[in-house]
């Protein structure tokens, strides 16, 4: 119970973020969104969030408190984003004025790069080869990660095709198992296979 309360009070202790170096942007972004949401400061990155008006003498104490909270949340958000960047990326993005500007700049730079990489996923799937030097299950896991990434791009690969792909890529010492599965009348899912 104490750990749960501690996680609620200080979520950054329980959410580990690796330094973002320009690779695996989607993973870093998802983890960063989770951290900032747990800290209740992700809202400052919302492009629809209206700007806080400049302070005036007529501002109520409530309005002053709201403005102060927003400024503090933006500063904390900016600090957390910059803190998870490698030194090279930190130097590139530190001069941007707000966390929203940093977030938008990172998204446009690295999501465009990701789109270019995604075009080659199907090619990687078809060219995937299994080797005798690595454990078979690790290689099947790699293939399933490719299928998952393709699924994110709305490229659906039916179970029967996935099973056939795995069977065709198995090393030769799996021939007996391959024949058994191919001659079976049972319809398998990838998990059952």
């Amino acid at each position: 119970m104490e750990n749960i309360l501690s996680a609620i009070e200080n979520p950054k202790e329980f959410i580990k973020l690796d330094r973002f170096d320009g690779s695996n942007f989607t993973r870093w972004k998802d983890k960063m969104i989770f951290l900032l949401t747990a800290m209740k400061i992700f809202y400052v990155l919302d492009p629809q969030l209206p700007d806080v008006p400049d302070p005036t003498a007529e501002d109520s104490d409530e309005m002053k408190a709201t403005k102060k909270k927003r400024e503090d949340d933006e500063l904390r958000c900016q600090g957390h984003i910059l803190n998870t960047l490698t030194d090279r990326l930190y130097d590139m993005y530190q001069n941007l004025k707000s966390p929203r500007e940093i977030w938008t700049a990172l998204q446009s730079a690295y999501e465009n790069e990701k789109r270019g990489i995604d075009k080659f996923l199907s090619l990687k799937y078809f060219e995937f080869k299994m080797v005798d030097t690595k454990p078979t299950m690790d290689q099947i896991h790699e293939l399933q990660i490719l299928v998952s990434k393709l699924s994110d791009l709305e490229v659906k690969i039916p179970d029967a095709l996935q099973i056939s792909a795995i069977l065709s890529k198995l090393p030769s010492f799996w021939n007996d198992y391959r024949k058994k599965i191919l001659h079976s009348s049972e319809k398998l899912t990838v998990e059952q296979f």
Side-chain angles (χ1 to χ4, degrees):
M1 183 69 171
E2 194 173 302
N3 284 345
I4 293 171
L5 291 175
S6 180
I8 292 169
E9 292 169 6
N10 196 2
K12 65 183 178 187
E13 287 185 23
F14 291 88
I15 302 168
K16 174 74 172 110
L17 281 175
D18 297 326
R19 291 212 180 265
F20 177 60
D21 63 0
S23 61
N24 294 320
F25 176 73
T26 303
R27 182 181 302 133
W28 174 84
K29 178 180 148 187
D30 289 345
K31 289 180 177 182
M32 180 57 73
I33 288 171
F34 182 71
L35 172 67
L36 297 175
T37 301
M39 296 180 71
K40 297 182 169 88
I41 57 176
F42 181 70
Y43 76 96
V44 301
L45 298 178
D46 182 357
Q48 306 301 319
L49 187 67
D51 290 333
V52 176
D54 292 329
T56 63
E58 295 109 29
D59 284 348
S60 67
D61 288 341
E62 185 179 321
M63 179 60 95
K64 289 177 185 174
T66 301
K67 289 178 182 180
K68 176 74 172 134
K69 180 183 179 333
R70 175 82 159 278
E71 289 172 3
D72 291 348
D73 288 350
E74 285 184 354
L75 183 62
R76 285 176 48 217
C77 185
Q78 184 168 353
H80 282 291
I81 292 171
L82 289 172
N83 192 41
T84 61
L85 301 179
T86 59
D87 291 343
R88 179 183 63 85
L89 292 177
Y90 177 91
D91 292 342
M92 287 175 58
Y93 293 101
Q94 71 164 335
N95 293 324
L96 296 177
K97 294 179 179 133
S98 73
R100 193 179 314 156
E101 285 182 53
I102 296 169
W103 190 256
T104 303
L106 286 166
Q107 279 185 309
S108 33
Y110 293 100
E111 283 183 349
N112 287 338
E113 181 179 308
K114 181 185 174 301
R115 277 187 221 109
I117 292 169
D118 288 345
K119 292 178 183 178
F120 298 100
L121 284 176
S122 57
L123 184 63
K124 285 175 77 174
Y125 176 79
F126 287 112
E127 289 182 345
F128 187 88
K129 289 187 176 26
M130 293 183 122
V131 294
D132 294 337
T133 56
K134 290 169 71 176
T136 303
M137 289 309 293
D138 289 351
Q139 294 177 79
I140 290 173
H141 183 69
E142 286 177 38
L143 193 61
Q144 286 183 305
I145 289 171
L146 280 172
V147 170
S148 175
K149 288 179 180 180
L150 287 167
S151 180
D152 290 345
L153 296 172
E154 298 181 9
V155 176
K156 305 294 181 209
I157 302 174
D159 282 354
L161 183 60
Q162 288 183 57
I163 291 169
S164 296
I166 293 169
L167 287 172
S168 71
K169 296 168 187 311
L170 286 172
S172 59
F173 62 85
W174 285 79
N175 281 344
D176 291 339
Y177 181 72
R178 182 182 297 129
K179 287 177 187 174
K180 177 184 169 196
I181 295 296
L182 289 173
H183 293 294
S184 170
S185 61
E186 188 179 348
K187 193 171 188 172
L188 299 173
T189 66
V190 173
E191 290 77 25
Q192 292 169 329
F193 169 72

